[in-house]
Amino acid sequence: LSDLSPEGKLVAYVTNVQGKRSLWLRQAAAEKPIEVVPPADVTYGGVAFSPDAGKLYYSMRDADGSSGLYQIPV
């Protein structure tokens, strides 16, 4: 899963390492990405930027089945 911000400067994406997923944010001009959510036994349903690229939304389901929609400021 991934999403490109409306102005094309940011990319949000999910990685999967040994069954643990984490959410990352990367600026097009930056060398290193920023970890938004640390690795956990979760499933992401989607990631999306707000129209002004000021917020990142993501849906996530925990291993116990609970899920939610979250937002963080970019």
Side-chain angles (χ1 to χ4, degrees), residues 4-11 26-30 49:
L4 180 65
S5 64
E7 80 289 347
K9 294 181 180 180
L10 300 168
V11 177
R26 182 179 198 122
Q27 289 182 321
F49 285 95

Side-chain angles (χ1 to χ4, degrees), residues 29-40:
E31 259 185 58
K32 294 186 177 185
I34 299 167
E35 186 178 62
V36 177
V37 180

Side-chain angles (χ1 to χ4, degrees), residues 3-25:
D3 191 38
L4 180 65
S5 64
E7 80 289 347
K9 294 181 180 180
L10 300 168
V11 177
Y13 60 95
V14 174
T15 63
N16 184 352
V17 177
Q18 297 178 348
K20 304 246 182 203
R21 291 164 197 86
S22 57
L23 181 60
W24 292 80
L25 185 64

Side-chain angles (χ1 to χ4, degrees), residues 22-74:
S22 57
L23 181 60
W24 292 80
L25 185 64
R26 182 179 198 122
Q27 289 182 321
E31 259 185 58
K32 294 186 177 185
I34 299 167
E35 186 178 62
V36 177
V37 180
D41 187 16
V42 298
T43 302
Y44 289 89
V47 295
F49 285 95
S50 62
D52 67 355
K55 294 180 184 167
L56 178 64
Y57 298 93
Y58 60 97
S59 62
M60 184 172 65
R61 181 184 314 261
D62 294 334
D64 67 0
S66 61
S67 62
L69 176 63
Y70 304 90
Q71 75 171 15
I72 57 165
V74 175

